[in-house]
Amino acid sequence: MEKNGTDKAALGHELTSNSVPDKSTVAEAEDPLKCPMSRLRIFKNILVLSFGFMFLFTAFQSMANLQTSLNKEQGVGAWSLSAIYAALIVSCMFLPKFIIGLVGCKWTIPVCMIGYALYMAANFYAVIWLMTIAGVILGFGAAPMWSAKCTYLTQLGVWYSRMTGQSEDAIINRFFGFFFMMFQTSQIWGNLISSLVFTSKENQTQSNTTQCGADFCPGDAENNTNLDQNKDRVYTVCGIYLACAVIAMIVVSTLLDPIKLDKEDSSTKGRLSPDLLIATFKHLFTSPTQILLIPLTMYSGVEQAFVSGDYTKSYISCVLGVWNVGYIMIVYGVADAICSFLFGRLVQYVGHIPFFVLATIVHGALQIILLLWTPTPDREVLFYVIAAFWGMGDAVIQTQINALYGALFTENTEAAFANYRLWESMGFMMTYAYNNYPCTNIKLYVCLGFLGAGMLGYTAVEIKERNKKQEKEDITPTTTRL
């Protein structure tokens, strides 16, 4: 859901680039008021935070992948996921500063994790009203939890930078890199759990494969058969995921040290403030570049919701059975993690354009293949190949959009990344909301439409920025002569 660039830039920190310690840096490092934690405690807290989120999202990401397959009666699973992102849109505008100011940076994290645990527990009695309420609670807690995590890691990076004299940018990048390395493994563990629990095929039925893939329609009777008749397995998975969420809360509550931030905003402490909401929409209506990026930002949510909500249901569960969802999504997660790591480092050498071209080709080709392909059980390897390439394309979309926002909106990062979260969440919410109505081929056309519109908008942004840069270069020599 969140990436390194978003986390840092959204906080609005100005990162320095000094790499050689001077006398003032050494003095700061020796001052316990400037660096209240030892190196060992800093490393311990990074590890605790990383393990906590790994356990939590081992549960949540894998449960989200299964929602549209296991809880599809009356669209319970899709509606609950849509509710999460609708609540997240509201939450990110009002709650992060308020909650962090109320209970502190550390305690915001385990308190908000309660919403994730409640969502896991709600799956034991998966009716639409209960799952929707649980989704709303989770969504309201998600934005403060992620903001607190970003703030906590960034503050640790600032303190460690003072100790060592290294640049804050380098240290914070290193800390976030380790965190997301641990975080991304949650896709592996969670999906492995679900596949091992559902691995037995006895008493499990599949749909007619002629109505799977692009021809899958939620309203067809044969596609509404329960893909796992044994409720014991469903309860086992829910129980394991609930335990993972509880472990995450316990780990963070007991082992993470409380911190006092160097800069605390007392103006919003203890009260809700619409300041970010106002800044978000002011930025939207005054920035043509932001408007051009809306389709691409929404595509980020649309494509992620499609692969977790429709590819898992219309292709994997429908043809191979729900017990294969986890194995195939592990490949997706691994490809996404590896490519995110590689592409995030290669962009400084080749720029954004080649990667966005790659994403357009890969995702565009996959969506056309999914429209034309009739999936069959004897071509099981193709399900894994498609998942791997979709993960590669998603890695481009996530890393490059975050980096692009960070590069374009350096003077208004908080409002810009609030727009990023707003429009990406809108893409998620919209895709999950209509999940239970059109056939899969219509959803693929929607994906292609957003991909095309998004890349046209991005192309216009590149042309606009290149013209702006050229104008500055034309003016600079004249200014120098004066």
Side-chain angles (χ1 to χ4, degrees), residues 34-348:
K34 295 291 184 179
C35 302
M37 282 188 187
S38 67
R39 295 189 188 194
L40 188 61
R41 284 182 67 195
I42 287 176
F43 292 147
K44 185 268 288 185
N45 285 315
I46 295 170
L47 199 61
V48 168
L49 201 58
S50 301
F51 268 104
F53 274 74
M54 184 191 73
F55 273 105
L56 184 69
F57 282 86
T58 288
F60 175 69
Q61 290 188 149
S62 303
M63 182 59 78
N65 289 340
L66 291 169
Q67 278 301 318
T68 55
S69 294
L70 293 182
N71 296 325
K72 61 181 183 177
E73 292 81 2
Q74 298 182 314
V76 171
W79 276 116
S80 71
L81 293 171
S82 183
I84 289 172
Y85 291 99
L88 181 62
I89 292 171
V90 178
S91 175
C92 70
M93 299 296 173
F94 296 100
L95 295 182
K97 287 185 178 180
F98 171 69
I99 299 296
I100 293 172
L102 197 64
V103 300
C105 196
K106 171 201 168 170
W107 287 106
T108 297
I109 298 170
V111 167
C112 293
M113 284 179 172
I114 294 172
Y116 287 81
L118 291 175
Y119 185 78
M120 300 304 133
N123 280 271
F124 284 100
Y125 184 62
V127 294
I128 192 164
W129 65 268
L130 181 61
M131 290 292 292
T132 302
I133 291 172
V136 169
I137 294 171
L138 189 159
F140 279 142
M145 183 188 74
W146 278 98
S147 293
K149 184 273 302 178
C150 297
T151 305
Y152 195 102
L153 274 182
T154 302
Q155 184 64 78
L156 293 183
V158 170
W159 288 341
Y160 192 79
S161 171
R162 291 173 185 167
M163 291 179 189
T164 62
Q166 300 177 57
S167 75
E168 290 181 6
D169 194 15
I171 295 299
I172 293 172
N173 265 302
R174 194 184 307 167
F175 286 0
F176 274 88
F178 177 81
F179 172 86
F180 277 104
M181 180 186 71
M182 297 289 295
F183 174 81
Q184 291 288 5
T185 65
S186 62
Q187 237 346 325
I188 299 173
W189 314 129
N191 287 314
L192 186 60
I193 289 168
S194 67
S195 287
L196 290 175
V197 172
F198 290 123
T199 192
S200 176
K201 302 179 179 61
E202 61 179 2
N203 297 324
Q204 301 191 54
T205 59
Q206 294 166 232
S207 304
N208 182 351
T209 56
T210 60
Q211 292 182 318
C212 294
D215 294 328
F216 184 98
C217 294
D220 292 347
E222 51 267 57
N223 284 333
N224 283 325
T225 57
N226 192 353
L227 293 174
D228 187 81
Q229 302 293 339
N230 192 333
K231 287 295 182 183
D232 289 341
R233 293 191 180 92
V234 178
Y235 295 149
T236 299
V237 165
C238 292
I240 294 172
Y241 290 160
L242 177 59
C244 288
V246 171
I247 290 171
M249 288 189 291
I250 293 172
V251 166
V252 174
S253 298
T254 58
L255 299 179
L256 192 69
D257 293 329
I259 63 171
K260 182 175 177 60
L261 303 176
D262 288 346
K263 296 178 182 179
E264 289 192 347
D265 186 1
S266 58
S267 63
T268 57
K269 191 171 183 178
R271 69 180 181 87
L272 292 172
S273 172
D275 291 349
L276 182 57
L277 178 68
I278 294 169
T280 299
F281 284 99
K282 182 180 178 181
H283 172 74
L284 174 64
F285 293 125
T286 58
S287 173
T289 299
Q290 177 62 73
I291 294 172
L292 288 170
L293 288 176
I294 287 176
L296 181 61
T297 310
M298 287 188 70
Y299 177 72
S300 173
V302 169
E303 60 92 4
Q304 290 179 77
F306 176 85
V307 76
S308 64
D310 290 290
Y311 183 62
T312 56
K313 176 178 66 174
S314 305
Y315 292 85
I316 304 171
S317 292
C318 188
V319 178
L320 302 178
V322 72
W323 55 92
N324 281 294
V325 169
Y327 292 129
I328 294 171
M329 293 306 286
I330 287 173
V331 174
Y332 166 82
V334 170
D336 203 330
I338 293 173
C339 291
S340 293
F341 179 84
L342 293 175
F343 296 160
R345 280 148 184 80
L346 289 174
V347 66
Q348 60 184 311

Side-chain angles (χ1 to χ4, degrees), residues 430-448:
M430 179 192 73
T431 306
Y432 284 130
Y434 68 61
N435 183 274
N436 303 294
Y437 303 105
C439 297
T440 302
N441 57 355
I442 302 299
K443 297 171 187 176
L444 283 165
Y445 289 128
V446 171
C447 278
L448 281 168

